[in-house]
Amino acid sequence: LRKGELTTLTAGSGIGKSTMAREIIYHMLNQHKLRIGNIFLEEGFEKTLMSYVAMDLNRPVAALREDHTVVDQDKARASWDKLIHNDNFWFLKHFGSIQSDELMTKLRYLAVVKKCDFIVLDHLSMVISGIATMDERKEIDLLMTKLAAFVNETGVGILSIVHLKRTGGTSFNDGGTVSLSD
């Protein structure tokens, strides 16, 4: 991954795109000491942060989300505090769809004011879902154009996540063929 570029992770639903993005971001934060912005629209702030706590404690995310007692609570609190009070780690507290102009304002704040090196945006489809449109593909293309111009202008790197559209054929998770239009 490079700053000033837009990188997209895409796959079928439930395949692990968000988990992979969090692993990449966690590595960038801890190993490279980069400033990171987190925009996870499919889950609340606490759920996102709990996923990072699980990584910090080297525990499976799903196990910790299901049962918080699988880890020492003092260690979990210390990890939570370390991540939440980290001047290199920023979170957008927002759940659900967000208008593209509002999203761009939030991205600009993270890039310019908080001086983030990278921002993870999970997932792009949630931005489009709030728009009354007959052409979701066109709206995604327009948003991707805005994001590409934004990374070029600011130098921030964006790691975006996009779900493949569901088709009537074989599921992508079961080996269905992916095309560019998906």
Side-chain angles (χ1 to χ4, degrees):
L1 297 176
R2 290 182 289 274
K3 290 176 62 173
E5 291 185 4
L6 174 60
T7 303
T8 303
L9 296 176
T10 186
S13 297
I15 210 78
K17 298 176 297 297
S18 298
T19 300
M20 182 168 185
R22 276 192 292 267
E23 288 283 354
I24 291 167
I25 293 301
Y26 182 79
H27 176 81
M28 292 173 139
L29 174 73
N30 288 292
Q31 299 303 313
H32 301 284
K33 309 301 183 207
L34 296 174
R35 295 177 72 85
I36 306 295
N38 290 274
I39 301 177
F40 284 82
L41 299 174
E42 273 191 311
E43 59 190 29
F45 159 75
E46 292 81 7
K47 190 173 181 181
T48 301
L49 192 53
M50 185 57 65
S51 297
Y52 285 117
V53 167
M55 287 177 202
D56 196 52
L57 298 174
N58 200 26
R59 297 284 188 233
V61 172
L64 185 60
R65 283 183 177 172
E66 187 176 304
D67 179 8
H68 293 214
T69 64
V70 299
V71 297
D72 177 272
Q73 293 305 293
D74 290 334
K75 288 181 181 176
R77 173 53 59 193
S79 179
W80 179 278
D81 289 342
K82 175 180 89 172
L83 292 166
I84 196 76
H85 296 118
N86 187 332
D87 197 40
N88 286 338
F89 215 36
W90 300 96
F91 294 86
L92 174 64
K93 290 185 180 180
H94 183 90
F95 179 81
S97 66
I98 184 172
Q99 294 296 317
S100 64
D101 289 341
E102 182 182 353
L103 172 66
M104 296 308 298
T105 299
K106 305 291 186 189
L107 289 168
R108 184 164 303 286
Y109 176 79
L110 289 169
V112 175
V113 176
K114 295 303 179 184
K115 299 187 183 339
C116 288
D117 297 295
F118 285 90
I119 301 169
V120 60
L121 174 56
D122 185 11
H123 66 86
L124 213 56
S125 305
M126 288 293 281
V127 179
I128 304 307
S129 70
I131 299 172
T133 182
M134 297 301 289
D135 192 350
E136 183 181 63
R137 172 62 191 230
K138 180 178 179 183
E139 293 299 329
I140 289 175
D141 286 347
L142 289 171
L143 180 56
M144 290 297 281
T145 300
K146 286 181 184 179
L147 291 173
F150 176 76
V151 298
N152 186 56
E153 172 196 342
T154 63
V156 71
I158 293 182
L159 177 59
S160 68
I161 297 166
V162 180
H163 293 284
L164 293 172
K165 78 176 180 184
R166 293 187 174 110
T167 62
T170 304
S171 162
F172 298 121
N173 297 4
D174 294 327
T177 302
V178 177
S179 70
L180 188 57
S181 65
D182 295 321

